Amino acid sequence: MIYLPFIVLILSLVVKITILPLIPSFYVFDEIILTQIRRLSLPQLLNTIRVEPHPPLFYLFLKMFPIENVLISKIIITLVSYLLFFLAFLYAFKRKLIQNHKLSLGLTIFVISFGFLEITSRVKQDSISLPILFIIAFISLNMARLHSSLNIKELLMAHLLTLVLLFTGYIAYFQAMLVLLLATIYLHKFSIPKYLYLALSLILSVYFSLYGYNQLVVNSQRFTWVNDLYNSLLYAIRAYLGGYSGINFYAEALLIAFAFFFIKSLIKPPSINRQFFLNVVFLIVLLTFTFYVTKFFVSIRYISFLFLLISFAVGWGITSSFT
């Protein structure tokens, strides 16, 4: 059971790599814009993305891709994304988060979801920023769990990866800062976590004043499209689970089952470290409130980390029902 997420992850990669050459390959939506910008010279690229809502690192990363060959580019991004997810799961396994906190089923639910399968093959920032966020989240939750001791190497790794996210994907970056803040609070008796978090905050301030503010001003009118879509947690979860299939019996039944086991895990908490359980519930509540305010529920790409946390709770509910 504890190896189930790894088995499903590898099987899904094999299936995806097998299927990709058999179907037409083309860029869609934001992929078209990203790959067009990538073709620019470096000075033109840096100037152009000042009016785009994304940081520069992923565009530079695409410079290494044979972007004219859509199939090869999608295979490369899929392999890199899966490798990073594998490393995130491996860290959780090595630190016994999966075993001791019964995360196996929740991780498996996440891997078989429509949202995961779509994101990992898109030539977009999320395919890279999301697994990096997961690595940071697992490190942070582990440090919060073991708050009486401090692993300097892992602490530095989490902060360096968060810095990478600042230049890769803003939404993933701010969620990483949130979970890092949670770990920093738990590690309050140590000085190093506070100084490192302060350093990240100062870097953010400098970056925002020199670069990010201009992006915010220029793009503030571009996101009016979110007002035309459903900003709904239930709609987003249904889409994450089964895709944009519209309202039908199977989609609704899946959502009802998902909600039932989630509620069951809250009524009857799992027999795991209580602090870990409360941290997951706290992050679910906080992110849900934040996403309603920011209207992030309009896209499944924005809610991936929240969906993972909810999947943990659903996995706990299912496990308690059949044991």
Side-chain angles (χ1 to χ4, degrees), residues 220-275:
S220 59
Q221 301 301 318
R222 290 181 56 178
F223 292 98
T224 54
W225 58 270
V226 301
N227 297 319
D228 300 324
L229 300 175
Y230 293 113
N231 184 43
S232 164
L233 171 63
L234 296 181
Y235 175 82
I237 290 178
R238 183 164 61 83
Y240 211 105
L241 283 168
Y244 302 102
S245 57
I247 298 175
N248 57 67
F249 171 78
Y250 298 104
E252 299 301 310
L254 186 60
L255 181 61
I256 291 172
F258 206 72
F260 171 79
F261 289 115
F262 174 76
I263 294 172
K264 184 175 177 62
S265 72
L266 299 181
I267 296 175
K268 186 181 178 182
S271 54
I272 63 172
N273 180 279
R274 181 170 176 79
Q275 200 60 59

Side-chain angles (χ1 to χ4, degrees), residues 32 62 114 126 252 270 300:
I32 298 173
L62 289 181
F114 169 82
D126 310 271
E252 299 301 310
I300 61 174

Side-chain angles (χ1 to χ4, degrees), residues 42-80:
L42 185 58
Q44 289 177 313
L45 186 151
L46 294 175
N47 186 56
T48 300
I49 60 178
R50 291 182 69 87
V51 296
E52 287 294 314
H54 304 292
L57 189 57
F58 188 75
Y59 297 97
L60 300 177
F61 177 61
L62 289 181
K63 284 286 187 182
M64 297 184 289
F65 281 52
I67 213 71
E68 291 76 16
N69 191 319
V70 180
L71 174 60
I72 297 300
S73 295
K74 285 186 175 288
I75 289 176
I76 292 174
I77 202 72
T78 300
L79 290 173
V80 174

Side-chain angles (χ1 to χ4, degrees), residues 155-188:
L155 182 69
L156 288 172
M157 177 63 70
H159 283 77
L160 286 174
L161 289 176
T162 302
L163 186 60
V164 170
L165 285 185
L166 174 59
F167 300 100
T168 308
Y170 292 136
I171 294 176
Y173 167 77
F174 284 110
Q175 291 178 85
M177 288 291 283
L178 175 63
V179 292
L180 264 184
L181 177 61
L182 180 66
T184 303
I185 292 172
Y186 272 98
L187 297 167
H188 61 88

